[in-house]
């Protein structure tokens, strides 16, 4: 077991000083903790980015994976749809990201709804997007979601972003108002939803955010966003380039985390997952969403090692 973990996580000490030898044993875990971690890690959703490295990332996916396909201002929605089609053909369960600020208007929203319906997709994820200027009439996600659902996409579930660490360009109160308005819109449309948390490295911040939002009436299940097993340089550079730099600002306030990320090797998500696994059900966490930055092979090896280790107990 130690050998398998060492192969899967060849990255040195974890954030709390965890070594490859101790990662597989979960040394501080209460009884049953490793089983809970294995269950949570088993339902790992992979996020891919449409760029050159996505070809290898697709080849490295486990069979029948849940796969989110991001939507960037550079590649646009067509690239997201193209890779979604490919993933469907390969037997995966893709979830395209639709960036509202890249949609031209109601006619384009109707076209996208028809495309989703024609491809039999059960889930989509909608975000405002990071385009500096909207290409059409949708400045944010809420009006696009309204038009998209009115056009009958046939989806059973629609995902929304959550921001435990805030957003660099949107006031916190407005983020919260929008989130709850979207939840209400989904309820009125009879469509289930979920929240995918954007990248945050501070467990306390995530827990506090979940507690506040639950108290305010948020009932949607959460897919906890965590980095995959990613080279630290790729994590820092791509994270900033893809618009999640604001959620990484915690790093500038936490010296130990910065030192962990800047050390040789790759980021190890084990500590964060272990911290949330025992009370995931109580928090309403239904799955993990992995920001792989297309580093799928290492993230898959980590997933398989953790799941195998939990079953061996």
């Amino acid at each position: 077991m130690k050998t398998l973990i060492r192969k899967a996580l060849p990255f040195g000490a974890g954030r709390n000083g965890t070594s490859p030898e101790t990662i597989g044993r979960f040394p501080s875990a209460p009884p049953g903790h490793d089983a809970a971690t294995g269950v949570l890690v088993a339902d790992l959703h992979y996020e891919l980015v449409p760029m050159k490295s996505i070809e290898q990332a697709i080849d490295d996916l486990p069979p029948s994976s849940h796969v989110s396909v991001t939507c960037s201002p550079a590649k646009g929605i067509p690239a997201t749809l193209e890779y979604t089609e490919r993933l469907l053909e390969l037997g995966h369960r893709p979830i395209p990201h639709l960036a509202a600020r890249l949609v031209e208007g109601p006619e384009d929203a109707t076209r996208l709804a028809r495309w989703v319906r024609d491809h039999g997709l059960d889930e989509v994820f909608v975000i405002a997007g990071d385009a500096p200027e909207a290409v059409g009439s949708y400045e944010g996600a809420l009006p696009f979601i309204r038009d998209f659902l009115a056009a009958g996409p046939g989806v059973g579930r629609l995902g929304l972003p959550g921001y435990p660490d805030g957003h660099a360009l949107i006031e916190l109160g407005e983020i919260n108002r929008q989130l709850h308005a979207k939840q209400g819109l989904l309820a009125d449309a009879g469509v289930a939803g979920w929240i995918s948390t954007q990248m945050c490295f501070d467990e306390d911040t995530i827990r506090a955010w979940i507690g506040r939002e639950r108290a305010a009436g948020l009932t949607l299940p959460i897919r906890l966003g965590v980095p995959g097993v990613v080279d630290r340089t790729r994590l820092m550079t791509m994270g900033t380039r893809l618009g999640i730099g604001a959620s990484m600002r915690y790093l500038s306030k936490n010296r130990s985390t910065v030192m962990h990320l800047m050390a040789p090797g790759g980021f190890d998500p084990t500590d964060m997952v272990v911290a949330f696994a025992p009370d995931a059900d109580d928090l309403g966490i239904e799955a993990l969403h992995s920001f792989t930055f297309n580093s799928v092979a290492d993230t898959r090896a980590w997933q398989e090692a953790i799941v195998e280790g939990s079953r061996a107990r």
Side-chain angles (χ1 to χ4, degrees), residues 2 8 74 76 97 124 136 154 170 184 205 215 222 286:
K2 290 182 183 179
H97 289 203
V124 297
I170 307 174
T205 295
I222 292 170
E286 68 172 14

Side-chain angles (χ1 to χ4, degrees), residues 6 23 31 53 72-73 93 101 114 157 162 190 194 216 271 286 302:
R6 189 177 298 111
I23 285 173
S53 57
S72 70
R93 292 169 282 182
R101 292 172 66 83
R114 182 170 57 250
R157 304 186 75 188
W194 82 90
D271 287 346
E286 68 172 14
W302 168 83

Side-chain angles (χ1 to χ4, degrees), residues 32-44 273 277 280-281 285-288 303 306-307 310-311:
H33 178 88
D34 46 339
T37 302
V39 169
L40 190 58
V41 172
D43 191 17
L44 185 72
V273 176
D281 288 343
I285 296 173
E286 68 172 14
L288 293 179
Q303 177 192 23
I306 295 294
V307 171
S310 69
R311 290 172 178 169

Side-chain angles (χ1 to χ4, degrees), residues 33-78:
H33 178 88
D34 46 339
T37 302
V39 169
L40 190 58
V41 172
D43 191 17
L44 185 72
H45 293 220
Y46 291 79
E47 180 180 288
L48 302 186
V49 182
M51 55 190 303
K52 186 176 181 180
S53 57
I54 195 174
E55 301 296 338
Q56 184 62 53
I58 291 174
D59 289 343
D60 292 335
L61 286 167
S64 303
S65 292
H66 292 282
V67 189
S68 288
V69 185
T70 66
C71 184
S72 70
K75 297 290 186 179
I77 292 176

Side-chain angles (χ1 to χ4, degrees), residues 224-242:
L224 181 65
V226 297
V229 179
V230 183
D231 174 81
R232 290 176 174 87
T233 300
R234 176 181 286 195
L235 175 61
M236 299 295 285
T237 57
M238 289 188 65
T240 301
R241 182 172 52 171
L242 294 172

